[in-house]
Amino acid sequence: MKTDSNLEKVLASGEFAVTAELGPPRGADPEDIHKKAKLLGDCADAINITDNQTAIVRMSSIAAGILLKQRGLDPVIQIVTRDRNRIAIQSDVLGAAAHGINNVLCLSGDHQKFGDHPTSKNVFDIDSIQLIQMLKKMRDEKKFMSGADIDVAPRLFIGAAENPFADPFEFRVIRLSKKISAGTDFIQTQAVFDVEKFEEWMKLVRKKELHKKTHILAGVIPIKSAKMAKYMKENVAGLRIPDEIVSRMEKAKDVKEEGIKICTETIERVRKIEGVQGIHIMAVAWESIVPKIVERVGLLPRPPIRKEDSNANESKNPNG
Amino acid sequence: MIVAEQKPIAEIISIAFKHKSILVVGCGTCVTVCFAGGEKEGKTLSSLLRMKAQMEQKLLEIEELTVERQCDHEFIEKIVPLAGKVEAILSLACGAGAQLIAEKFPDKIVYPGLNTTFLGITEKQGIWKERCLGCGTCLLDKTGGICPIARCAKNLLNGPCGGSQEGKCEVNPETDCAWQLIYERLKKLGQSECLEEIIPVKDWSTSRDGGPRKVIRDDLTL
Ligand code: SF4
Ligand code: SF4
């Protein structure tokens, strides 16, 4: 084990993992995080906290992660390279690790054009693959990107995203293998709606035996309404939603129930695909539905979250 | 070449009307080629300003001249006699040319008449596209001759990002995704193995991030 991460423990045990996404508030109220944490805490092994997703300003992912940590949950901090350079990211990762946060998901991030500050300057000093490399070096070599020594290295379980539905299709697998050789321990994919296409991608993944070198969690998004399905189909970069899903939502009498059904069917199908080791549920703004979904697919209860070794904690804290 | 566009005419008029006399200086190089600030544009703009001044009964003396290159001391020498007659100078060169004029005439107010946009190419008549950001360490050899710094909206060195769709960039469906182009070209050239290599982090110190840059060639300096 590289870390105390609960997610790492679950994946290493071979259990089918469940992670869920939490979008922090557009304000300073910690109650928002606590409310969502209450909903997600018992049905997910780890909780991803988005980093100013779609370039809209929200509470910092690390700060929200600390709140989760205080509740005994296992946060996955998302870091985008859009807003911070290598200096800021390394510093933030040390800070997060000092608060006991282990899981970091490396992303390049949506362009600021999509957000609420479209006239801002972006950073992109490094890209997501270089971010993975940098974190691995910090953890394994105890060195900063510059080569300077780190006295106490952060213990990190490093994640990355991949989009099996973006183009060019064949290159997506090469890119995954680049992320693995950079050092990613786990992958959370873009939301799967087109299961056939996802299967095709997984076939290429297995051909290169990449599923043996990293843990792959398939992303899912429960859709709340036909309008949302249509909106996502037309406006969200990198999502592929088949017409059939939109028409199922349009025809449904109980739309919410249909949305849940589509989601649970997807989970059941991807679960059977060789090499898929978990799911990642992105129910941003519909967190309340996650427990029901996880229950329906028979993935409850979750294994108890491992508490940090209290002895180790004491030895770290001379005053404790 | 350097591609630029003329500032909105209303903005130029309001600049000119602050003065009783102004010199409009065109530049004969890049901005002539992209029809933004050459001799022709300088003449047109000057007559427009004269007409507008007449219509509004403003007292405005306009001088006009185009030099071969405003970014070279040798050529802007020619401006000296006319510059002495006016209150202000409106430069129709790129930002570099406009600055050299300001340096040359420390007691004149110098205005930019153009918005300098990018280093690019003429795609076809009337269409120019960005190609280079002058990063100081060219890596086109690794990317099939297509620049991911200037042409990828996130300057990713190991792209494409998850937003690349049907060959287009997530930021603008009319712009090609640079990484789709790189992928196709390397494949065609039989250099697909380049795509499997992780391009290391970039040393941005040779770029703008290292501060204003300077090139010195000892073999050429006098
Ligand atoms: S790599 Fe740098 S120098 Fe080369 S084309 Fe791109 S921006 Fe220009
Ligand atoms: S879509 Fe392509 S060009 Fe646009 S930001 Fe992503 S990788 Fe870069």
Side-chain angles (χ1 to χ4, degrees), chain B residues 119 131-140 143 146-151 202:
Chain B
L119 293 184
R131 286 294 182 267
C132 174
L133 268 171
C135 74
T137 322
C138 195
L139 47 79
L140 285 176
T143 55
I146 293 154
C147 175
I149 313 282
R151 298 176 70 182
K202 192 162 171 62

Side-chain angles (χ1 to χ4, degrees), chain B residues 151-154 156 160-161 163-164 168-170 176-179:
Chain B
R151 298 176 70 182
C152 164
K154 303 178 185 171
L156 302 179
C161 75
S164 176
K168 299 297 173 190
C169 174
E170 73 168 36
D176 292 327
C177 166
W179 275 98

Side-chain angles (χ1 to χ4, degrees), chain B residues 8-177:
Chain B
I9 191 70
E11 194 181 332
I12 296 182
I13 291 170
S14 77
I15 286 170
F17 280 12
K18 284 186 198 150
H19 300 280
K20 292 199 178 62
S21 57
I22 195 162
L23 166 64
V24 176
V25 192
C27 178
T29 311
C30 306
V31 295
T32 293
V33 184
C34 64
F35 303 96
E39 187 166 13
K40 201 171 126 246
E41 292 75 30
K43 283 210 157 79
T44 315
L45 185 66
S46 301
S47 7
L48 206 138
L49 287 174
R50 276 187 205 107
M51 256 166 53
K52 193 81 188 158
Q54 213 169 30
M55 273 163 60
E56 298 193 12
Q57 297 181 331
K58 280 251 359 122
L59 193 71
L60 177 62
E61 201 59 50
I62 295 175
E63 300 289 347
E64 182 243 310
L65 173 75
T66 295
V67 296
E68 202 168 328
R69 274 205 300 281
Q70 281 186 40
C71 55
D72 222 316
H73 283 285
E74 187 190 331
F75 297 104
I76 58 173
E77 210 45 58
K78 289 201 189 104
I79 303 173
V80 177
L82 280 178
K85 296 200 212 162
V86 294
E87 275 178 32
I89 302 174
L90 178 71
S91 163
L92 297 186
C94 69
Q99 287 183 65
L100 193 61
I101 302 259
E103 207 176 304
K104 176 87 183 165
F105 303 102
D107 52 357
K108 294 275 173 231
I109 302 175
V110 175
Y111 295 101
L114 307 185
N115 289 323
T116 304
T117 334
F118 52 74
L119 293 184
I121 52 128
T122 311
E123 190 172 69
K124 49 183 162 184
Q125 176 84 22
I127 301 179
W128 293 271
K129 284 191 171 168
E130 181 162 23
R131 286 294 182 267
C132 174
L133 268 171
C135 74
T137 322
C138 195
L139 47 79
L140 285 176
D141 53 312
K142 295 196 177 84
T143 55
I146 293 154
C147 175
I149 313 282
R151 298 176 70 182
C152 164
K154 303 178 185 171
N155 51 251
L156 302 179
L157 293 181
N158 296 282
C161 75
S164 176
Q165 209 98 97
E166 279 152 28
K168 299 297 173 190
C169 174
E170 73 168 36
V171 173
N172 182 349
E174 272 157 35
T175 309
D176 292 327
C177 166

Side-chain angles (χ1 to χ4, degrees), chain A residues 222-226 248-249 252-265 286 289 292-293 296:
Chain A
I223 329 176
K224 228 177 177 171
S225 64
R248 266 181 74 176
M249 291 298 284
K253 282 202 191 81
D254 184 346
V255 265
K256 282 193 182 167
E257 177 56 31
E258 190 67 18
I260 298 170
K261 240 168 100 188
I262 292 172
C263 188
T264 54
E265 281 168 19
W286 200 18
I289 202 61
K292 194 181 229 170
I293 291 173
R296 279 217 204 159

Side-chain angles (χ1 to χ4, degrees), chain A residues 86 108-111 113-114 122 124-127 129-130 133 145 163 165-168 170-172 174-175 178 181-182 208 237-239, chain B residues 153-167 170-172 179-180 183 187 194-204:
Chain A
R86 60 189 87 174
S108 53
D110 300 308
H111 194 270
K113 181 194 164 180
F114 298 106
N122 61 35
F124 295 118
D125 173 26
I126 58 177
D127 64 27
I129 293 183
Q130 295 161 345
Q133 276 183 325
M145 182 184 265
N163 185 355
F165 310 102
D167 291 318
E170 320 87 80
F171 190 49
R172 289 289 145 190
I174 300 175
R175 206 149 177 271
K178 279 175 88 164
S181 51
K208 289 196 162 213
L239 265 189
Chain B
K154 303 178 185 171
N155 51 251
L156 302 179
L157 293 181
N158 296 282
C161 75
S164 176
Q165 209 98 97
E166 279 152 28
E170 73 168 36
V171 173
N172 182 349
W179 275 98
Q180 172 82 34
Y183 170 76
K187 224 167 82 173
C194 287
L195 293 163
E196 306 199 8
E197 239 172 74
I198 298 176
I199 299 185
V201 286
K202 192 162 171 62
D203 173 356
W204 294 107

